[in-house]
């Protein structure tokens, strides 16, 4: 059978095929293959007859100017129905020949399998038998060959490796040998397949498209033989350029068809344009705030910011680097997220490695606050109000610019509340799963996340019970939610047990006991009215009087308008942190100071979490007021803008920054700053013994390389260095000798012969002591 084809270059593979039957159609593009095509076709014909496989061989002469066309016509005449000769009147390229061959095989044959190969005698038909067996064994939709040993010159082999790497990077195609011309594909994958690739780009495009719909594709080795006749054209510069240009076009088509670079498509055409615009605005605000606080030198004002950066850095660079450096008191997620950026010393030292996590969390928080409040209030103005109150709060703006952990907790909590509310409203398991993932992240960020887990689990149980009225369904919802959301709590207990031998080390360990922070005579301890007053004032200082008032008004309106049911509970969830923090202050679990009660600031940022419910309820209030206003669209924007602007101006500065600045101005920190400056100037990078606890400012600001720093988290090395620093190779020793607050290095070495005989005191100011080995090197 002979067919004349002169298709458009980018025509789809269209089919009007007969019902599939067992057998294989072999597709062979051919260009100037007069010396090879007959042998190749005969090989497949004889092998398939011998194996008893129904078959047809489709040979496409791509406008050859030799005898290729005449030879395949003779073969078609000699084997009617078994050989189909197709002719392009002019040369259109390998890609067009492949498309023509596939279309012909699909239209003219009903065989279930199609093999794509070449007509140059470099492959043998016997491998087809093995591929069919493998396809059956693996129940695969396609088996793609890879050349066991490529019988080509080294230049072509090198080109092929580069080409494969490029294709896999751009298109994420399966297989180790992208352009191997031996692919057995089920016809169902090729039905109505639109291909546009030219030259070598047709093969990766084919693989990309058939693998994008969940098809099962496996690999199998095939033999490759040297070309004995004819000329290889794949290495020609013109063909290479054509292939590269076509690959770029194919990549663009994949993006267009949402098969690749889906995130870029979602950015360009988001499903929720309003939330996308809010997130984009949040990015701009985050960057501006970061640059402002960086310019004023406030990025690392918090001592805890130094600590978080140190932990992240030690995971990747310390004498005992690894996950064990995460410790057992602070939860691990913020440090794990910051660790990759901490590899760059500049990003670690300027604090951006940790600030980047906070900034990203800020954007997520703003985006989901908008979505949550909009859904709750029924109007975009409500969402804009909630997002604006949070985004422009000075305390939030400062904490999102530094390496603290509050913003990551807020992002997790807000995301969890949004998806939990969506599940309570619509019952979609996807929303419940996303909520559980967000709660999991919260439980691995701060211990407030554990309270969030308990509250959200109770809401899930209550909602499921009211919805289904059956315990079995309630149990199922709890399992779906709790299996993921609770994994962080159980995992942290297991971690502490494995690392420290005590599952409760995070609460009662050497560096975790509350007595380390809560001083004797703390005003809050044992006095419930004082604890309530302290937390109320801390929240008010963080929120500002206007935001707090809007939040209370919105809470009252919500309680009046919304009947208390399962789907109405979610907005109340964050209010649980009021009794939680009051209890923590009353029992002495955590300290919190405000000037009105203690005359100073300490941990005042604990009150900032109340901004979340305040913003949500304020958004609800504004969203519900909008329908009462004339000219709704303009009025809605004006109302939201006025609420946000007025409330933000009423905050009166960043109390969280004031606390950090006051601490840095203390005499304690002045002594730390002095010794840090001295070490930066004189330290030569030698191995240093320095306790980290309560010395975080010196450890970080001295810029002593973490890779040469032995501290209490240096597994086994720490004890050996304290016992005999000289034998442990310690060149520098830092100790804090403040009466009543001496560190472990002072306790272990002060007055010992080792310290007096082997080390010289080189710094002695403000109870900070630095020793160096006598010979300058240990």
């Amino acid at each position: 059978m002979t067919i004349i084809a002169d298709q458009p270059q980018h025509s789809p593979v269209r089919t009007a095929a007969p019902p599939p039957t067992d057998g294989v159609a072999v597709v062979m593009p051919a260009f100037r293959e007069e010396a090879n095509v007959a042998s190749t076709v005969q090989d497949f014909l004889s092998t398939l007859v011998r194996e008893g496989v129904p078959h047809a061989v489709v040979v496409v002469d791509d406008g050859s100017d030799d005898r290729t066309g005449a030879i395949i016509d003779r073969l078609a005449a000699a084997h009617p129905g078994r050989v189909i000769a197709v002719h392009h009147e002019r040369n259109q390229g390998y890609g067009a020949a492949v498309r023509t061959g596939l279309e012909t095989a699909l239209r003219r044959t009903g065989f279930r399998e199609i093999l794509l190969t070449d007509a140059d005698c470099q492959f043998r038909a016997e491998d087809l038998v093995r591929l069919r067996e493998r396809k059956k064994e693996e129940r695969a939709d396609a088996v793609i060959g890879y050349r066991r040993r490529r019988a080509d010159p080294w230049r072509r082999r090198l080109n092929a490796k580069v080409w494969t790497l490029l294709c896999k990077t751009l298109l994420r195609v399966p297989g180790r040998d992208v352009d191997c011309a031996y692919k057995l594909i089920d016809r169902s994958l090729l039905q109505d397949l639109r291909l546009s690739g030219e030259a070598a780009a047709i093969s990766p495009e084919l693989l990309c498209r058939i693998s994008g719909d969940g098809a099962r594709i496996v690999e199998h080795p095939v033999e490759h033989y040297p070309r004995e006749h004819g000329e290889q054209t794949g290495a020609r510069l013109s063909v290479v350029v054509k292939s590269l240009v076509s690959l770029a076009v194919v990549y663009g088509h994949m993006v267009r068809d949402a098969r690749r670079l889906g995130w870029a498509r979602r950015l360009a055409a988001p499903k929720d344009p309003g939330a996308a615009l809010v997130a984009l605005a949040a990015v701009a605000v985050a960057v501006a705030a970061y640059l402002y606080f960086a310019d004023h030198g406030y990025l690392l004002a918090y001592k805890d910011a130094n600590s978080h950066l140190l932990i992240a850095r030690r995971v990747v660079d310390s004498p005992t680097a690894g996950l064990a450096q995460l410790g057992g008191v602070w939860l691990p997620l913020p440090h794990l997220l910051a660790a990759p950026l901490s590899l760059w010393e500049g990003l670690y030292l300027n604090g951006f490695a940790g600030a980047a996590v906070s900034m990203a969390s800020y954007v997520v928080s703003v985006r989901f606050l908008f979505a949550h409040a909009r859904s709750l209030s029924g109007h975009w103005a409500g969402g804009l109000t909630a997002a604006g109150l949070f985004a422009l709060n000075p305390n939030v703006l400062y904490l999102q610019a530094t390496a603290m952990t509050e913003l990551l907790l807020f992002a997790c909590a807000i995301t969890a509340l949004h998806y939990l509310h969506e599940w309570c409203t619509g019952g979609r398991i996807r929303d419940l799963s996303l909520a559980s993932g967000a709660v999991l992240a919260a439980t691995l960020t701060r211990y407030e996340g554990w309270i969030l887990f308990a509250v959200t689990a109770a809401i899930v149980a209550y909602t499921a019970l009211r919805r289904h009225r059956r315990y079995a369904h309630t149990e199922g919802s709890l399992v779906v939610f709790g299996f993921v959301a609770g994994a962080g709590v159980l995992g942290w207990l297991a971690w502490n047990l494995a690392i420290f031998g005590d599952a409760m080390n995070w609460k009662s360990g050497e560096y975790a006991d509350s007595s380390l922070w809560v001083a004797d005579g703390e005003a809050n301890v044992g006095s419930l009215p004082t604890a309530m007053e302290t937390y109320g004032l801390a929240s008010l200082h963080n929120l500002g009087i206007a935001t707090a008032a809007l939040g209370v008004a919105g809470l009252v309106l919500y309680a009046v308008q919304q009947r208390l049911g399962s789907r109405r509970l979610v907005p109340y969830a964050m209010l649980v942190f009021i009794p939680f923090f009051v209890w923590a202050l009353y029992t002495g679990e955590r300290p919190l100071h405000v000037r009105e009660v203690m005359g100073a600031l300490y941990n005042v940022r604990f009150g900032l979490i109340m901004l979340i419910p305040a913003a949500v309820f304020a958004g609800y209030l504004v969203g519900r007021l909008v329908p009462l206003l004339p000219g709704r669209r303009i009025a809605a924007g004006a109302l939201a803008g006025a609420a946000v602007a007025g409330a933000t101006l009423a905050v009166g500065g960043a109390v969280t920054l004031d606390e950090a600045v006051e601490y840095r101005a203390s005499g304690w920190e002045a002594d730390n700053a002095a010794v840090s400056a001295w070490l930066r100037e004189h330290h030569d990078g030698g191995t240093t013994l320095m306790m980290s606890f309560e010395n975080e400012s010196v450890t970080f600001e001295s810029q002593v390389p973490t890779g040469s720093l032995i501290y209490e988290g240096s597994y086994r090395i720490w004890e050996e260095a304290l016992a005999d620093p000289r034998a442990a190779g310690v060149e520098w020793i830092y100790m804090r000798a403040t009466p009543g607050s001496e560190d472990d290095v002072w306790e272990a070495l002060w007055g010992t012969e080792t310290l007096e005989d082997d080390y010289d005191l080189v710094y002695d100011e403000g109870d900070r002591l630095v020793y160096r080995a006598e010979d300058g090197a240990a």
Side-chain angles (χ1 to χ4, degrees), residues 226-240:
R227 173 184 276 271
E228 297 181 358
H229 308 285
E231 179 186 3
Q232 290 179 324
T233 60
R236 289 180 179 175
L237 181 60
S238 59
V239 176
V240 171

Side-chain angles (χ1 to χ4, degrees), residues 115-116 131 134-135 140-147 168 173-185 189 203 206-208 210-211 216-222:
L115 176 76
L116 180 61
L131 261 63
R134 180 72 186 281
K135 184 171 180 289
D141 298 298
V143 181
I144 57 177
Y146 65 89
R147 285 163 280 204
K168 292 178 75 67
V173 294
R176 68 193 76 179
D177 191 357
V178 169
D179 60 343
C180 177
Y182 216 85
K183 300 176 177 67
L184 182 64
I185 305 171
L189 297 182
S203 187
L206 175 63
L207 291 175
C208 184
I210 67 174
S211 65
R216 177 165 172 73
I217 300 174
V218 299
E219 290 185 273
H220 192 77
V222 296

Side-chain angles (χ1 to χ4, degrees), residues 304-333:
D304 284 355
N306 298 160
S307 301
H308 293 306
L309 288 163
L310 281 166
I311 295 173
R313 175 71 172 184
R314 285 167 177 158
V315 170
V316 296
D317 181 33
S318 75
T320 54
L323 293 180
Q325 293 298 315
L326 293 170
V329 179
W330 271 326
L331 287 158
L333 185 58

